[in-house]
Amino acid sequence: MTARTGRPMTSRLRVRGWLRTESPLHVGGLGMGRTDTLPLAVDGLGRLYVPGTSLAGVLRSWMNGAPPDRCEPSLWGYTEPGSEKGQASRVVVHDGLITRGLGLDSHGQPADPLPHHALELRTSVGIDRVTGTAAPEILYSRSVVPAGYHIRLELDVESDEQEEDRDRAVVGQLLAALMDGEIRLGAATGRGLGRVRLLDSPLALTADRFDTPEGLLAALRDDPARAVRLDTLKGAAADLPLRRELVRVRVAWRPLSPVMSAAREEGRALLTMPLVTRAGGEHVRLVLPGSAIKGVLRARAEFIERTVRGKTAVPASPGSPAHEHSAVFRDHLDQLDVTTSLFGAARKQSAKQRKPAKAGALRAEECLSDVTIPPTCGAPPPDSTTARLRPARTTAPPTSPPRCATGSPNSGSNPPTMSPSTAGPAARPTDCCSGCSNPTASPGNRCASPWT
C-alpha cells in the first residue's frame, strides 16, 4: 500500500465577479423526450445556471491555446491511464447562477435568479440540398438566455510556494480574456451564441496565505487587507500557448425586398411572426440568427465547391422513409472538404460507422435591428422597410483552408440595420412608431393594437 499525502497549498487566489451575456446563451440540461425543445440546465431548486464543469471546460480549453496540444496538468489536473498517477485540479470553479441583476443576499448568493418566462427560443431547420425545402427529421428548437443577463463567476486557484507567481499571472490573463469577450460558453458558439464578458465592477480578488498563523487568521476574519488589484496580476508573464488568430469580416448590406426570420410562436392576429429579442425594458429588436446567416453562406460555399469539383448532390430514392432522406442530407454535408473545414461536419452514428461532429472555422454572429419595437405595436411600422441593417460579422482563423468570399447580399434602399448582437437591457429604446397614422393611438404610444 503506497503512502499518500495531501497536495501542498500555501496560498489561494479567489475571484468573485459577474459575466454578462452579450449574445444568447444555451447550456444544455436534461430533456424529457426526443421531440422536446432542447432545455437549459437547472439546479436542484429549478434555477437556471451554468454548471461549474461547463465553465471549467471552456476556461481550460482557452488556456490550451491553438492547436490544443498543450495542457496545464499542474493547474487543471490530470490522470494517467493504467496507473495510479494523477492530480486533482487546483482550480475550483463553482456553479454560476443566471440572474437578472447583480445583487447578493445576506448569504452572499445571487438574489435575483432569472425566471424561466424570460427565456427565448431559437429554432433551426436543415435545407435539403436537392429540393431546397426543409429536410426530414432536421428540425429542432433550443431555449436560450437572451443577451443582457448575468452569470455569477466564482473560482479559486490553490497554489504552493513554487507555483504562486505563475498562477497569478495565468489568472490575470484569463480574466483579461473574459473582459475582452474572447471566451464563449455553451452550445452553438459558431452560430453566434455564448458570447459573454466579465464586468470590471463589481469584481473582487482576494489572496489568502495558509503558511503563517497571521494569514490563517486573516482568512477566517475576512480581513479586507487581503484584497488585490487586477493590474498586479496582468503584469506578470504567464507563458501561455499562442492564441488562435481571427480574421473579422463585417458585411454591410441592404435587402431589396422584405427579409424576416420567422419565430416558432404564432401571434394573436398573424400566424407567422418575426423573430425578436429583448432590447431593454419591454422593447424588442428584430433578429436574423447566426444559424440562418451561416446556413446561407454554407449553401453558397457548397454550390461553388460542387460546381468546381463536378460533384452532384444525389437525392434519396423516391418513396424512401424519412430517416433515409435525413441520412442522405447528412451525407451531403460531409462530401465537400473545403466547406466542411469552414462550416463543420455533422455527427454520424450508424451500424456501419461512427463519426464525431467537427466544429468549423467560421463563426457567424447574430444580427439585430437598430430600430426597437414597443410591445404594443400591432404590426411593423410603416417606415420599417426603410430602416437600415447593421453589418453581419463572421470570424475565421487565417490559417484555415480557403474561406468563402463573404460578399454582401443584394443592397437596395433603406431597410432596418442589423448587426452582431450587442444589445442588452441598457440599450436605449427608439420609438418605432413615429409617423404612425393609427387614429386610435395615443401620442406617446401610436400603435394601439397588440403585436404578439
Side-chain angles (χ1 to χ4, degrees), residues 117 222 278 361 449:
H117 65 73
D222 197 18
R278 63 190 299 272
S449 56

Side-chain angles (χ1 to χ4, degrees), residues 365-381:
E365 304 287 2
E366 290 206 327
C367 286
L368 303 177
S369 64
D370 275 339
V371 175
T372 61
I373 303 173
T376 50
C377 282

